[in-house]
Amino acid sequence: MGMRAKLRWSLLAGLLGLAALFLITDLNRTALTAQAFTSLAQGAGPAITDLKFPQVIPPDSTPVEGVISFQGPNELKAVRFTVTQALSGVLIGPESVLVKQGATLELPVELPGITTGQLKFQLASPEPQPVRLEVIVIDKRDRESVPKELFFVAGILQSEPGVYLLRLWGRNGSGRGEFKSPGHLAFDLEGNLYIADIENHRIQKFSPSGEFILTWGEFGSGEGQFNKPTGLSVDNQGNVYVADSLNHRIQKFTTEGAFLRSWGKFGRGPSQFQSPFDVATDSNGNIYVADGANHRIQKFDPNGNLLTTWGEFGSIPGKFKYPCGITVDQQDNIYVADCENDRIQKFDANGNFSAQWGSEGTTAGQFQSPWGVAVGPQGNIYVADRGNHRVQVFTAFGDFLFRWGPQSSNAPGKFNNPTGIGVDENGFVYVVDSGNHRVEQFFINPAEIKP
């Protein structure tokens, strides 16, 4: 090897050694990743350094502006939006193109000579919903940035961290869509809501978005008439069962309000009732009645034949003081809002006691006359804690998760004696805000929740 070649090799080896030393020492400080080495080898592409957009936007298709901050060695060619969550789609860009969930829209970008800066964009939502998008910028060498997630909610407001009020409807009155002290709610297989409008002695049916569909019932004791209906349930065949409280009976209807049959009368005997407060159905079509003033649960087959009963007045496990609410999970476990014992009790389908939680009080996991109880798609238990003017959420084993609304108020997103509660298949939570004569629909984002 010649002298000049030896000098070149020494210089190269020295540089490589210096680079290796730099990398070894610098790894401890900056934790360079394999992805960074790959980028260096291939040439750096564009990057999204920041993404700004309001957390809550109007749910009425009003365009809202956001800003993408970017940097890179080359000019941008396009920005790509992929809608990962939005039941009704998202309106994107100045032309308000409706992009459905799972679809992508790529918009061209013209920023001559600019490789680092900000890019404005517009989004809108046609109705209340949570929205998630994946945003990518693409440069003129067709290199893409790492995807950046954008999350926001189209609705009325964020009432608390992770809790978003999407819509509300109703007011005090007797007209369509108005209520007087409404009680429990139920969903049918299409997601429509049925509300027990107690003081108006009727049932009202709404679409999932709160649009009025129909109503039936009036004060009385005849077929299809009511005296303060408090609770109801819809089975998997589309039958609607109503706890006709002060007529001390259960009435059965179609989802269009046509009367089918009824059973029960005032009394303490089998198949008799004293102010039944609520009703639930299981996967086999069996009916469970929270027989309030008899302090018990009665179970019937779909034809109204008594199958079993359990409970009596008392405070030990398996006994009740005015059970106000009842629901069934996917495994046919029964959850009872044991109102005056300020607790939730859990049973199997035959009435065997499984668990209980709660006591009188105002702290997390305590209750003041819990009325409504519901099961969410993930199996969590939602409780309308009436006297504490709030909703509390638990695991199926009674472990406290979070709560919201802990003061009486008529402000949107707050409660005044909430009674009914339900969670639909999309995870939206509907609360019957009885003292404010309305229904409120919420979206819960668990990532933001603080217990």
Side-chain angles (χ1 to χ4, degrees), residues 407-444:
Q407 69 261 354
S408 177
S409 172
N410 62 1
K414 303 298 182 182
F415 308 114
N416 180 9
N417 292 316
T419 50
I421 189 165
V423 188
D424 71 11
E425 61 180 7
N426 297 309
F428 296 138
V429 182
Y430 295 78
V431 180
V432 179
D433 186 13
S434 187
N436 287 320
H437 313 284
R438 66 189 181 189
V439 178
E440 297 185 285
Q441 182 197 25
F442 294 89
F443 166 72
I444 309 299

Side-chain angles (χ1 to χ4, degrees), residues 45-314:
I48 297 176
T49 58
D50 195 17
L51 191 58
K52 294 186 182 297
F53 195 76
Q55 191 76 10
V56 181
I57 71 168
D60 57 2
S61 299
T62 300
V64 177
E65 190 172 89
V67 177
I68 301 171
S69 298
F70 64 92
Q71 65 180 23
N74 299 291
E75 297 176 15
L76 292 187
K77 168 186 174 182
V79 57
R80 181 188 302 149
F81 297 91
T82 301
V83 181
T84 57
Q85 180 185 7
L87 292 175
S88 300
V90 186
L91 299 167
I92 300 178
E95 303 299 324
S96 294
V97 178
L98 181 63
V99 182
K100 295 290 188 177
Q101 183 170 292
T104 293
L105 179 67
E106 193 169 294
L107 297 176
V109 173
E110 290 292 338
L111 295 171
I114 298 175
T115 61
T116 298
Q118 293 184 328
L119 176 67
K120 293 183 179 180
F121 63 94
Q122 287 185 343
L123 300 175
S125 177
E127 67 173 52
Q129 62 179 339
V131 177
R132 293 184 194 274
L133 301 100
E134 187 180 83
V135 185
I136 292 174
V137 293
I138 307 167
D139 70 14
K140 290 194 173 181
R141 295 182 64 182
D142 289 325
R143 289 178 297 192
E144 300 181 356
S145 68
V146 173
K148 192 94 169 178
E149 184 181 79
L150 173 61
F151 168 77
F152 63 91
V153 173
I156 297 175
L157 54 82
Q158 182 179 20
S159 61
E160 295 178 28
V163 180
Y164 297 87
L165 178 63
L166 298 182
R167 52 167 64 90
L168 60 80
W169 70 91
R171 61 181 180 180
N172 189 13
S174 300
R176 292 182 171 183
E178 297 178 334
F179 304 103
K180 284 189 177 180
S181 302
H184 290 289
L185 65 83
F187 300 101
D188 65 20
L189 296 177
E190 284 73 45
N192 298 310
L193 281 79
Y194 300 76
I195 309 293
D197 191 3
I198 298 176
E199 298 295 335
N200 279 323
H201 312 286
R202 65 183 180 183
I203 305 301
Q204 294 199 67
K205 178 180 178 180
F206 300 88
S207 74
S209 60
E211 297 172 352
F212 175 84
I213 297 176
L214 62 87
T215 183
W216 74 88
E218 60 182 357
F219 178 76
S221 57
E223 294 180 352
Q225 295 180 321
F226 302 107
N227 188 353
K228 296 190 176 180
T230 50
L232 69 175
S233 182
V234 184
D235 69 13
N236 52 21
Q237 300 300 313
N239 299 301
V240 182
Y241 297 89
V242 179
D244 187 7
S245 186
L246 293 190
N247 279 325
H248 312 286
R249 65 184 178 183
I250 302 299
Q251 294 199 67
K252 180 179 179 180
F253 302 88
T254 69
T255 53
E256 300 305 311
F259 174 82
L260 296 175
R261 61 168 300 156
S262 68
W263 71 91
K265 63 179 180 179
F266 180 81
R268 297 180 181 274
S271 301
Q272 296 179 337
F273 304 105
Q274 286 199 63
S275 300
F277 283 144
D278 199 13
V279 59
T281 53
D282 66 17
S283 61
N284 297 311
N286 298 313
I287 302 115
Y288 301 80
V289 179
D291 190 4
N294 279 328
H295 315 287
R296 66 185 179 185
I297 306 300
Q298 295 197 69
K299 178 181 178 180
F300 301 87
D301 70 16
N303 296 315
N305 299 308
L306 182 65
L307 297 176
T308 188
T309 182
W310 71 89
E312 60 182 338
F313 181 83

